[in-house]
Amino acid sequence: MASVRSVNVGRPREATWTTIGRTSILKEQVRGPVQVGELGLAGDEVSNLRHHGGPDKAVYAFAREDLDRWAEALGAEIADGQFGENLTTVGIDVNEARLGERWRVGGPEGPVLEVASFRTPCNVFKAWMGRSGLDARAWVKRFAADARPGPYLRVVVTGVLRAGDEIEVVAPGGDVSVSEAFRAAHRL
């Protein structure tokens, strides 16, 4: 069964190591229900609106299975939310999801999220990994080469979700997966 393992939100924090002086990549797990609006999760604020946020990047999902692969490769534990994801999932290959695919989270009254695009790794992500005590050498290149970036989701129907909610694919989407779109965009 595909489900949400954790719901993670962050607020802008001072970060002199970023070009804009702040970041929201540090996410903390939320216990209990979280409202999902058309621009994302309640309590989650975007620092860099040029590259993040907006209707087509309202929610970012990353699979626990992929975090576990990275933990093994890096030789360190990686917590849910470490990659800046709002939803840490289990039991669904979020990178094989098709652009346009729709997920209902948490049953008939839950929000509907649509796979809209993919995350592109950046230097803030690289710096964050290093500041977290992980091997950040050539991080952007390694993360990109893996071609499993996780999807950005748009909110089609607002609602409430929580950790433990089931993820149900309710519409299949198009012919191109998140990984395929990433590879094409980055010529991998």
Side-chain angles (χ1 to χ4, degrees), residues 8-15 17-18 20 22-29 44-48 52 60 79-86 119-132 139 143 152:
N8 315 297
V9 300
R11 296 192 183 275
R13 295 174 190 234
E14 185 177 323
W17 44 273
T18 69
I20 64 169
R22 65 186 182 281
T23 183
S24 300
I25 197 166
L26 173 60
K27 304 291 186 198
E28 296 178 0
Q29 292 184 32
D44 191 60
E45 295 179 36
V46 176
S47 289
N48 186 339
H52 303 284
Y60 176 49
D80 293 350
Q82 173 66 38
F83 283 14
E85 75 273 13
N86 299 114
R119 181 212 201 130
T120 296
C122 63
N123 283 323
V124 170
F125 186 23
K126 175 186 173 185
W128 171 244
M129 294 295 285
R131 288 181 164 277
S132 298
W139 177 250
F143 188 83
Y152 276 120

Side-chain angles (χ1 to χ4, degrees), residues 85-110:
E85 75 273 13
N86 299 114
L87 303 179
T88 308
T89 66
V90 290
I92 183 171
D93 189 340
V94 298
N95 292 292
E96 287 305 310
R98 303 300 193 198
L99 298 181
E101 182 175 299
R102 290 185 175 186
W103 306 346
R104 181 171 303 280
V105 181
E109 301 301 315

Side-chain angles (χ1 to χ4, degrees), residues 60-174:
Y60 176 49
F62 204 82
R64 181 68 241 179
E65 294 86 350
D66 287 325
L67 290 173
D68 290 342
R69 279 186 327 95
W70 279 113
E72 186 174 326
L74 296 170
E77 288 188 36
I78 297 179
D80 293 350
Q82 173 66 38
F83 283 14
E85 75 273 13
N86 299 114
L87 303 179
T88 308
T89 66
V90 290
I92 183 171
D93 189 340
V94 298
N95 292 292
E96 287 305 310
R98 303 300 193 198
L99 298 181
E101 182 175 299
R102 290 185 175 186
W103 306 346
R104 181 171 303 280
V105 181
E109 301 301 315
V112 176
L113 308 175
E114 182 179 277
V115 177
S117 64
F118 50 82
R119 181 212 201 130
T120 296
C122 63
N123 283 323
V124 170
F125 186 23
K126 175 186 173 185
W128 171 244
M129 294 295 285
R131 288 181 164 277
S132 298
L134 298 167
D135 180 4
R137 288 174 294 162
W139 177 250
V140 171
K141 185 179 280 188
R142 288 188 300 168
F143 188 83
D146 194 47
R148 297 185 62 77
Y152 276 120
L153 307 163
R154 76 174 50 95
V155 179
V156 177
V157 175
T158 62
V160 175
L161 58 71
R162 63 188 46 82
D165 279 353
E166 183 176 350
I167 299 171
E168 176 188 6
V169 176
V170 294

